[in-house]
Amino acid sequence: MPRVPRDPAPRARAWMAARGWTPFDFQREVWAAQAAGQSGLLHATTGAGKTYAVWLGLLERLAGATPPPRAPALTALWITPMRALAADSAAALAAPLPDLAPGWTLGLRTGDTASAERARQDRRLPTALVTTPESLSLLLSRPEAATALGGVRAVVVDEWHELLGTKRGVQVQLALARLRRWRPDLQVWGMSATLGNLDEARAVLCGGGPSVGVQGRVDKTLVIDTLIPEEPGRYSWAGHLGARMQAPVVEELARSDTALVFTNTRSQAELWYQMLLDARPDWAGQVALHHGSLDKSVREWVEQGLKGGQLKAVVATSSLDLGVDFLPVQRVLQIGSAKGVARLLQRAGRSGHAPGRPSRLTLVPTNTLELVEAAAVRAAALAGRVESRHSPEQPLDVLVQHLVTVALGGGFDAEALYDEVRGAWAYRHLSRAAFDWALAFCERGGDSLTAYPDYHRIARAEDGRWTVPDTPQGRATARRHRLGVGTIVSDAALQVQYLNGARIGTIEEGFIGRLRRGDCFVFAGRLLEFVRVQDMTAWVKKATKAKGAVPTWQGGQMPLSTELADAVLAQMAEAADGRFHSPELTAAGPMLRTQAERSALPRPGVLLIEHQRSREGHHLCLYPFAGRQVHLGLASLLAWRLSRAQANTFSLSVNDYGLELLGAEPVPLEPLLDGSAFAEDDLLDHVLASLNAGELAQRRFREIARIAGLVFGGYPGAPKSLKQLQASSSLFYDVFRQYDPGNLLLDQARREVLSHELDLARLRAVLGRLRGWRREAVALSAPSPLSLPLMVERLRERLTTEQLAARLERLLREAEAGR
DNA sequence: GACCTGCTGCGGCCTG
């Protein structure tokens, strides 16, 4: 441990004192580490003074007390995951410059930066630059990158927990490795919210090099409570809207000045916005809606209203999880499950956003089981059991993109770049063969695309360096590459626009594709009638009909985290032992007792298997409490294994707590009871056979093809439609499979399906757990409270895929023929 | 006892 000076940053301390601030202990701790030249990660709750902890110490170290003869070159970089955050940070970071870093200039560079400012920066970058991962990559792709960025001595990454587990984070890792190559003494500091694996997060950020972790302990009271429904004994067993909580929520909002109301989906936000206005028409103009499909101008208006304290309540999705600090927000309400402890803490932190003010979050359960979950998530949050996030391992699509970026940014020597890339945590084990494959892929497009010059993106110059050649073809490559930088791949979206011109927002092509002229839908809090699609725009008019279908967006999966699922199971065990200590569990008491009477309460160590015969067929419900993603894999696996033993056709249904198999024929229980159905033998083969893994991999490949630069998304303002993108990526998928089966991007697609979509590691762990558990079968005479939501889920949407049905039929015929 | 989940994030060409 290097010697720490007693007063590591006297000028920073003086600057704070002039404003009446006394540095917190953790701020001095960061300054001391920075003074010693160390890198590190600062973990603290929001609103605790992280920004100045990290920034002032760096300025003290990097800037002289007297103005330098002329403005120095780019010295410090500040990376944020969001443009709005970048703009906000730039203002805060500029404040101490005149005193602590005289002569320094500060600039902002994101996609929002005006072209005049961009041009000015291109001539000369400021001393400190606030930017995003994508804009940083674009800077690295400029020919003079080494001179322009080679002098960077410090990088700060804000909200690192947000980037860590994503390909965007890998993009940052690669950029840092590059900067580190130019300046081996580069100081890197990250800031993170609560995370289960802070040490790993720090190692990933600092490339495994020496670094320190600092805990920003600030007194912050966290209050989590639950809105208990009236007559909890009659609260609904299923459903996720929570319409019966309308009145209590309105009451809570009436009592507070400004509140955020979080929902899990955009359609849920739309519906709750309506419900609030239906109950209180006088709140029109004071209640607003905020989610990712709304037009930017609408969202900005809402954000301004929140900042200014003019709004009473905003109903939002995760679109307001991060970003600008909304000081006036007093209360946060969470409708439905928070799905994870980290998300809950993040959202709670949106209220009382200043040191010393308490954060308060109120859970609003939408069904009785969510009462149990509310008790569970509070217990887990207060015990600090927070989810971990892990860096992706060796995503080759990101590497391919980076190789082209670096080739454009002055070119590279293969040997040196291989070493550099392995300095990024995600590629620390990258083999030379994989690196050379990626290199060759950029050079010739792999074995199958050699005939197409569009995919000959880089070439080896006479001096051995790899560059993008300065030819018409090369210039076209450069242009397309810069347009496609980044790892965020979203589906094609259509503009929603009134016939008279006003733009309302965007909506997925898939949803609009299901509408016919005259169909109505609710969007942006308005009832709209669909007219036609033209030029990637859905034209609409005000609807006159009373009712509309609410749009559903195809979004990501949000399975319950392992931490939370375990916490729910622990609550069930409490109830089984007759301990109803929390108001939530007490309120869920009647339902839990019904469950105990009709069936049994699940508890750790016991797998509950309910079976029932109905007009629909033979039901089998299992409750592993492993999250819906794993349940989906498990349900498919069980259906496949059971129907192999004895021909049958199953409908599947899953939720976060359990799964249902509905068989056309009676289902033998023995394989479940003796545990053989949970065997790990040939797991991979069986999973791949049971799910349509090929289809999944092909879908996954769409993202990979985009990131690796195989598929071009079109020029700004004229995006290609989803169909075109799908067509071209599936073409590549097929071509590679046929003519280039060794293509490592195919391999990556398969790996991503197994790890992201099926979560094979968790599935394997769950199978192991279930084999170790005692298995208890109960015959039901009426649906149990736990099984009912599964049946409802199945009625809503049949999970049986055509493919599965067809395959099962084929299996059946084969079994028939074999006999 | 029965209805309706599935998020977020960024970037930017050429031509006259």
Side-chain angles (χ1 to χ4, degrees), chain A residues 684-764:
Chain A
L684 188 59
D685 287 346
H686 288 188
V687 165
L688 291 179
S690 69
L691 279 155
N692 201 334
E695 161 92 7
L696 290 175
Q698 181 164 1
R699 250 198 336 224
R700 199 80 218 173
F701 191 75
R702 282 216 292 271
E703 178 186 307
I704 292 171
R706 269 296 281 287
I707 296 175
L710 286 171
V711 175
F712 180 53
Y715 288 105
K720 283 193 191 177
S721 87
L722 180 61
K723 279 199 201 78
Q724 280 171 284
L725 288 182
Q726 277 172 352
S728 32
S729 67
S730 55
L731 198 66
F732 282 114
Y733 185 79
D734 292 340
V735 167
F736 288 165
R737 278 194 355 148
Q738 202 162 358
Y739 302 106
D740 187 9
N743 192 303
L744 293 185
L745 293 176
L746 287 181
D747 206 48
Q748 189 189 333
R750 281 181 220 117
R751 274 193 299 140
E752 285 186 13
V753 167
L754 292 180
S755 65
H756 300 218
E757 314 216 6
L758 302 180
D759 202 347
L760 195 68
R762 197 169 163 191
L763 177 57
R764 181 168 279 142

Side-chain angles (χ1 to χ4, degrees), chain A residues 240-243 249 253 259-276 288-292 314-321 332-339 343 347 361-364 366 370 553 558:
Chain A
H240 291 279
L241 181 58
V249 167
L253 295 180
L260 284 178
V261 181
F262 281 110
T263 63
N264 284 337
T265 71
R266 286 171 272 181
S267 54
Q268 208 178 8
E270 296 270 350
L271 289 166
W272 265 94
Y273 173 72
Q274 285 303 328
M275 276 159 49
L276 295 184
L289 185 60
H290 192 283
H291 60 65
V314 175
V315 187
T317 58
S318 337
S319 55
L320 284 185
D321 270 2
V332 173
L333 279 77
Q334 164 72 41
I335 312 265
S337 165
K339 300 289 182 192
R343 186 183 283 112
R347 291 183 171 179
L361 183 134
T362 302
L363 297 161
V364 183
T366 60
E370 281 186 355
W553 289 267
M558 301 160 74

Side-chain angles (χ1 to χ4, degrees), chain A residues 492-506:
Chain A
L494 299 179
Q495 287 284 339
V496 182
Q497 196 165 355
Y498 278 125
L499 285 174
N500 65 20
R503 284 217 295 231
I504 317 170
T506 56

Side-chain angles (χ1 to χ4, degrees), chain A residues 385-457:
Chain A
R385 285 197 300 273
V386 183
E387 294 83 9
S388 300
R389 298 189 188 195
H390 305 282
S391 166
E393 284 287 333
Q394 299 188 21
L396 283 181
D397 50 350
V398 184
L399 180 63
V400 163
Q401 186 183 100
H402 186 69
L403 291 182
V404 180
T405 296
V406 176
L408 280 167
F412 62 86
D413 169 73
E415 198 66 40
L417 191 64
Y418 174 56
D419 282 343
E420 178 186 313
V421 162
R422 277 185 306 160
W425 181 266
Y427 302 101
R428 66 199 182 287
H429 301 312
L430 182 74
S431 70
R432 183 60 199 249
F435 178 83
D436 285 340
W437 181 88
L439 196 64
F441 187 75
C442 294
E443 184 194 12
R444 301 186 314 268
D447 288 351
S448 52
L449 300 174
T450 19
Y452 303 93
D454 270 3
Y455 301 101
H456 301 186
R457 289 181 283 176

